[in-house]
């Protein structure tokens, strides 16, 4: 799974990593699964503990060996990474657990950031825990946290929701479910979907809600585009070319008082005159901040009561 070769300056067979022109020997690791955070763009964001773990592990598993090889070469770490990703997890996972059973140390990295955050490493960690092995986090770079602190939005409470669904209705339904969460929301998003996602968020959550599109974090063209959801929807709706990795951050809902039930019924009835049940519920959720699912059911109840 990993070649144990000389490290070009630390002695034959020794495990080490390079800082500038100095080779630092890596101390032996106890048998365990080490979840190692790696840089999300800038390779200088690696931690010393992460380097020592990557250099000292008996087995190094990664999402894409080509991506990890760039990091290893930068810091003079010799060894052949072992691929572990969603397409080979059923085969590779048991082999990595077998290495733990044999008393070896196993380090797991993703292509960027912290393993297990929206990647298949979660399955490997569960296998290791179920088999009674130690799981040791090696903290470091995290795209959601970098986006949160750079966005300028409240960070006393936040909710990371991963990727939104790709289909429009499912995406809007998910946003409606999260509409009243009293925290800043964080999502991963792809460049070709960001325009549709921002537009849906503006419609479901309200155009006045503060947000930030965080792109290419820690890289040369890092960008924080801040504004209201309405302003961001207008920007990306104009066909602006978007490239790179994105974290979409949406501020928490306002502190508006909950509407009276009679007012909600009146709003639903008015909206249903010109809209389908689903669209009326979505618009009511945007205006009131109440869950779309509850509003949809309430509108059905109102229609049944009226015999329509």
């Amino acid at each position: 799974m990993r070649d144990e070769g000389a490290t070009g300056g630390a002695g034959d067979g020794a495990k080490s990593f390079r800082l500038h022109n100095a080779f630092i020997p890596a101390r032996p690791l106890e048998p365990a699964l080490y979840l190692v955070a790696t840089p999300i763009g800038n390779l200088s964001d690696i931690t010393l503990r992460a380097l020592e773990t990557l250099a000292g592990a008996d087995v190094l598993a990664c999402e894409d060996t080509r991506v990890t090889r760039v990091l290893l070469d930068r810091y003079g770490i010799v060894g052949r990474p072992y691929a572990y990703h969603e397409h080979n997890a059923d085969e590779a996972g048991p082999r990595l657990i077998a290495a733990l059973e044999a008393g070896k140390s196993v380090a797991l990295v993703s292509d960027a950031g912290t393993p297990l955050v929206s990647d298949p490493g979660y399955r490997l960690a569960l296998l290791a825990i179920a088999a009674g092995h130690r799981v040791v986090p090696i903290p470091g770079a995290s795209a959601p946290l970098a986006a949160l602190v750079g966005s300028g939005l409240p960070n006393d409470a936040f909710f990371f929701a991963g990727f939104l669904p790709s289909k429009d209705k499912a995406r809007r339904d998910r946003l409606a479910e999260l509409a009243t969460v009293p925290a800043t929301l964080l999502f991963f998003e792809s460049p070709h979907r960001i325009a549709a996602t921002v537009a849906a968020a503006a419609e479901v959550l309200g155009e006045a809600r503060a947000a930030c599109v965080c792109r290419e974090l820690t890289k040369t063209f890092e960008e924080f585009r801040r504004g209201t959801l309405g302003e961001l929807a207008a920007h990306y709706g104009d066909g602006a070319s978007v490239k790179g990795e994105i974290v979409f951050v949406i501020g928490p809902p306002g502190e508006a008082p909950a509407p009276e039930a009679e007012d909600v019924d009146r709003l639903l009835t008015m909206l249903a005159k010109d809209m389908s049940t689903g669209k009326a519920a979505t618009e009511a959720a945007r205006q009131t901040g109440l869950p779309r699912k509850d509003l949809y059911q309430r509108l059905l109840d109102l229609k049944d009561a009226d015999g329509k």
Side-chain angles (χ1 to χ4, degrees):
M1 294 183 184
R2 173 174 177 160
D3 294 331
E4 304 296 346
T7 56
D12 291 342
K15 298 177 179 180
S16 69
F17 59 94
R18 184 181 63 237
L19 285 180
H20 303 295
N21 293 322
F23 279 86
I24 315 296
R27 291 169 293 185
L29 293 174
E30 295 182 2
L33 173 62
Y34 295 85
L35 307 175
V36 186
T38 56
I40 58 177
N42 191 321
L43 294 184
S44 296
D45 289 338
I46 192 76
T47 69
L48 292 176
R49 187 182 179 201
L51 288 175
E52 185 169 39
T53 302
L54 295 179
D58 297 317
V59 179
L60 173 56
C62 64
E63 227 176 326
D64 187 325
T65 57
R66 295 164 299 180
V67 172
T68 299
R69 186 74 262 163
V70 173
L71 177 65
L72 299 180
D73 289 346
R74 166 70 177 271
Y75 291 101
I77 299 174
V78 174
R80 180 170 59 85
Y82 178 74
Y84 174 83
H85 46 71
E86 61 181 340
H87 302 297
N88 76 344
D90 290 341
E91 175 188 352
R95 292 178 64 184
L96 294 171
I97 297 301
L100 292 172
E101 296 285 357
K104 294 184 177 181
S105 55
V106 177
L108 174 69
V109 299
S110 63
D111 283 350
T114 302
L116 276 64
V117 178
S118 293
D119 77 35
Y122 176 71
R123 295 169 60 185
L124 181 61
L126 285 183
L127 288 174
I129 292 170
H133 300 292
R134 289 180 61 212
V135 173
V136 182
I138 308 296
S142 169
L145 290 179
L148 178 65
V149 299
S151 69
L153 295 170
N155 55 30
D156 55 327
F158 58 91
F159 184 94
F160 174 66
F163 285 95
L164 285 165
S166 58
K167 294 187 177 180
D168 184 65
K169 183 181 183 304
R171 180 192 297 128
R172 292 171 185 271
D173 288 346
R174 179 59 173 155
L175 286 167
E177 291 174 356
L178 300 173
T180 57
V181 173
T184 292
L185 306 176
L186 298 103
F187 305 94
F188 285 152
E189 194 49 277
S190 63
H192 69 274
R193 291 196 332 204
I194 188 62
T197 294
V198 174
E203 181 177 330
V204 175
L205 304 179
E207 295 186 357
R209 194 150 163 179
C212 183
V213 174
C214 311
R215 188 178 64 85
E216 292 290 82
L217 293 170
T218 78
K219 300 177 184 177
T220 302
F221 298 104
E222 178 179 83
E223 177 186 50
F224 292 90
R225 184 167 292 277
R226 305 174 180 90
T228 65
L229 285 173
E231 292 168 343
L232 293 174
H235 171 77
Y236 292 104
D238 286 340
S241 177
V242 185
K243 297 180 180 180
E245 308 266 337
I246 292 172
V247 181
F248 183 30
V249 187
I250 303 175
E255 297 298 327
E260 296 291 336
E262 292 181 359
D263 294 334
V264 173
D265 289 352
R266 191 178 302 112
L267 174 63
L268 286 169
T269 301
M270 179 186 69
L271 293 172
K273 291 179 181 179
D274 301 313
M275 301 178 181
S276 67
T277 302
K279 288 185 176 179
T282 296
E283 177 60 19
R286 184 187 71 80
Q287 293 188 29
T288 65
L290 297 174
R292 179 188 181 280
K293 185 181 299 184
D294 294 348
L295 293 169
Y296 183 88
Q297 184 59 52
R298 180 57 185 162
L299 183 52
L300 291 179
D301 293 342
L302 290 172
K303 288 185 174 183
D304 287 342
D306 290 340
K308 295 182 180 179

